Amino acid sequence: MQVGDEAVGAVLNRLRRAQGQLAGVIAMIEAGRDCKDVVTQLAAVSRALDRAGFKIVASGMRQCMAESEEGAAPMSEAELEKLFLALA
């Protein structure tokens, strides 16, 4: 599955944001910050990654249904559902 050109920038921004948030979580743990604060920031990282994954799947859905790499059969509805569920 390929990410549509229009979605690449949005996905990269979300992943960079998550990367920065994760670095913040690591720094918080190293500094001995309160558990509640760490978990709150970790949840933000998780949401950012989920959003990036959903954007990738949503962007590539048309290509998955219509075409595939190297002449293989297009992805089935069940295979697409499995991709979505992998993010759930």
Side-chain angles (χ1 to χ4, degrees):
M1 174 173 65
Q2 294 181 339
V3 178
D5 292 337
E6 70 283 348
V8 170
V11 169
L12 289 174
N13 285 339
R14 289 174 181 168
L15 291 174
R16 287 185 183 111
R17 186 176 308 121
Q19 184 178 33
Q21 290 171 324
L22 184 56
V25 170
I26 292 168
M28 291 172 75
I29 292 171
E30 291 173 341
R33 293 280 301 271
D34 182 61
C35 177
K36 181 181 175 184
D37 295 335
V38 172
V39 171
T40 299
Q41 286 303 308
L42 196 55
V45 173
S46 179
R47 283 190 304 273
L49 291 174
D50 287 344
R51 288 183 186 129
F54 288 133
K55 184 70 170 177
I56 289 169
V57 172
S59 170
M61 188 180 296
R62 279 192 213 130
Q63 290 100 351
C64 289
M65 292 296 288
E67 60 189 53
S68 62
E69 297 177 19
E70 301 180 19
M75 290 183 75
S76 68
E77 184 177 331
E79 290 170 317
L80 286 171
E81 182 179 358
K82 186 175 178 180
L83 283 177
F84 277 110
L85 291 175
L87 295 171

